[in-house]
Amino acid sequence: MTTATSAFTLSPEHTSEMHELYKHLHATPELSMQETRTAAFIREKLDELGLETFTCGGTGVVGILRNGDGPVVGYRADTDGLPIQEDTGLEYASTATGRLPDGSEVPVMHGCGHDTHITVGLTTARLLTENRDTWAGTAVFIFQPGEETGAGAKAMVEDGLWDKAPKPAIIYGQHVWPGLSGTVNVSKGTAMAMANSWKVTVHGKQSHGSQPEQSIDPIVMAAHMVVRIQTIVSREVHPMKSAVVTIGTFHAGLKENIIPASAEFTLNIRTFDPEVRDLVLSSLRRIINAEAAASGAPEPTIEEITSFPQCYNDPSSANDLLAVFGDELGHDAVFETPPVMGSEDFGLLAEAIGVPSVYWFFGGHSQEDLDSDTPPAGNHSPFFAPEIEPTLTTGVRAAVVAMLSKLGIAA
Ligand code: ZN
Ligand code: ZN
C-alpha cells in the first residue's frame, strides 16, 4: 500500500522500515533520564540521514536539517518508557528492566506510546531529508528524554539547547492517545493541565500509644490537613475555574500502640490557569503550616517532586493546523478538542525562547476496538497497545504537513 501525503509519499519500503523501527523501539524501552541506548540509536539514525546532531540534557538528542534560507521549525518527540510490566501479549512486547533512582529493579515498558513518537519523528526527518528539493529553511528535531518525570525539557533547556540549535519560529509536538487511529485532535489555547506534585513530611512527637499526652500525634495532624485541603477546590477556587487536588499516598506508623514521630503524604494538583495554580499552591502551604501550628508542631517539610508547565497552543497557529490537517487527513478525521487534565513538559521548550507551540493528539485504536465491550487500555496501562496502522502513518503525515506549513517553499 502506498500512502500519499499531499507533499510526499510513504513508499512500501518506508512503511515497512518504519514498522521495524517501531517494533525495535517498543521492545527496548528505558526509564526516564536513562535513555542511553535509545539516544544512541536515534542519533545513529539521524546521522545516517546526514543531519547535524548533538546530545543535550544527558540523554536528549537534537537533529538539525539545514536546507537553505527560510524559516526554522521545531518538532519534538519524547523518548522515555515507564516502570510497567508489559502485559500486551504482543510478539514485540518488552521484557526490559531498569533501575529506579532508589536502586530497585523494575520492568520497563513503552506504556505511554513514546516509541510511536520516536518512530514518527525519525520517519518525518527521513521524509523531509529525502524531499529537500521541495522546501526551504531549517527543521530542528528534538528527541527529549524524561517526559514522564517532567525532567527532560528542563534538562535540555538548562544544557543550552537554544544556544546550540537554531531557534525555531514555532515548535510542534504530538501524543498518541486512545482515540480513533487515523484521526487527530487539536485544542486552541490550553491543551493540557499544569501539574505539581509535593511530598509533605509532618513532624510530630513520638510516644507510647497509652500516653498521648506525651505526643504530638502526626497522624491526627496530617489527617486534619488532608480534610482541610479538600476545601481549596470547593471553597477557594472560583466556581467557573477548575482544579484537582489529589492526595495519592499517606503513610505513618508501624504499630497500633505507638504514636509515630512523623507522617508523610504526597499530593498532586492539576490546573489550567497559572493564577489558579498559584492560589492552590499557596493555600496548600497555608493549610499545612497552620494545621501544624494548631497542633503545636514544628513546620512540616514540603518537597517538590515534579512540576509540569502549561501546555498552551497558540490559538491562531492551532487554527491554521486544523485546516492543514483537514486538507491532509480529511476534515472528518480532524477535531477541535477541549483541554485534557494530563500534563506534559513540552511547553517549556517554546516558553524558554518565547515562541508559539502547538501540541496535538493522534488516535491509536480501531473503531472496532473502541466500540467493543472492553474498550482498549489507555496510556500507562500494562495492556496499552496502539495499533501500528494507520496510527504511525497518520502521525507522520500530521508532522510532515505541520512542519511544511511553516517552512518555506523551495526556490
Ligand atoms: Zn505518560
Ligand atoms: Zn506520554
Side-chain angles (χ1 to χ4, degrees), residues 352-394:
I353 45 173
V355 299
S357 59
V358 183
Y359 196 74
W360 67 89
F361 298 96
F362 62 115
H365 300 283
S366 67
Q367 192 67 60
E368 194 187 342
D369 283 355
L370 291 168
D371 289 345
S372 86
D373 290 341
T374 47
N379 305 55
H380 290 213
S381 159
F383 303 102
F384 180 65
E387 62 175 0
I388 293 185
E389 292 297 354
T391 305
L392 292 177
T393 295
T394 303

Side-chain angles (χ1 to χ4, degrees), residues 77 85 159 170 186 206 237 241 255 270 311 337 358-359 375:
Q85 174 83 62
D159 194 20
I170 188 162
V186 189
Q206 191 273 326
V237 173
K241 303 274 186 177
K255 196 171 186 307
R270 305 279 168 147
C311 185
T337 199
V358 183
Y359 196 74

Side-chain angles (χ1 to χ4, degrees), residues 102-319:
D102 69 5
S104 55
E105 188 170 8
V106 289
V108 187
M109 173 190 179
H110 264 304
C112 201
H114 298 181
D115 46 355
T116 67
H117 305 173
I118 304 169
T119 307
V120 165
L122 288 173
T123 307
T124 300
R126 177 177 179 182
L127 287 178
L128 285 179
T129 304
E130 292 178 358
N131 294 278
R132 56 197 307 161
D133 55 333
T134 62
W135 60 276
T138 300
V140 179
F141 291 92
I142 301 150
F143 291 88
Q144 182 216 296
E147 184 281 323
E148 294 292 350
T149 55
K154 189 164 179 272
M156 290 188 85
V157 168
E158 285 176 356
D159 194 20
L161 168 64
W162 298 127
D163 300 327
K164 298 170 190 168
K167 292 184 183 65
I170 188 162
I171 305 175
Y172 294 116
Q174 60 183 327
H175 206 300
V176 67
W177 77 343
L180 179 63
S181 52
T183 68
V184 295
N185 286 64
V186 189
S187 305
K188 285 188 213 167
T190 301
M192 297 181 84
M194 290 169 280
N196 298 78
S197 294
W198 283 1
K199 176 181 166 189
V200 180
T201 307
V202 176
H203 308 289
K205 187 168 169 240
Q206 191 273 326
S207 82
H208 194 284
S210 66
Q211 295 165 328
E213 77 286 1
Q214 305 281 337
S215 79
I216 298 175
D217 189 334
I219 296 181
V220 173
M221 181 173 26
H224 277 285
M225 290 174 189
V226 170
V227 172
R228 179 120 198 173
I229 282 169
Q230 308 307 316
T231 65
I232 297 174
V233 174
S234 67
R235 305 288 84 177
E236 296 190 44
V237 173
H238 191 286
M240 300 302 284
K241 303 274 186 177
S242 65
V244 176
V245 180
T246 293
I247 292 156
T249 69
F250 188 111
H251 297 289
L254 293 168
K255 196 171 186 307
E256 79 288 351
N257 63 356
I258 302 173
I259 296 171
S262 64
E264 191 185 290
F265 60 92
T266 57
L267 58 88
N268 176 256
I269 79 157
R270 305 279 168 147
T271 51
F272 289 121
D273 178 333
E275 276 181 30
V276 175
R277 176 195 56 196
D278 294 349
L279 167 80
V280 172
L281 291 177
S282 83
S283 300
L284 278 168
R285 209 172 273 282
R286 188 193 72 235
I287 289 169
I288 290 165
N289 288 334
E291 286 293 349
S295 294
E299 199 167 282
T301 308
I302 298 175
E303 296 161 79
E304 182 176 82
I305 303 170
T306 55
S307 166
F308 286 86
Q310 204 174 14
C311 185
Y312 183 81
N313 287 347
D314 176 57
S316 106
S317 305
N319 205 41

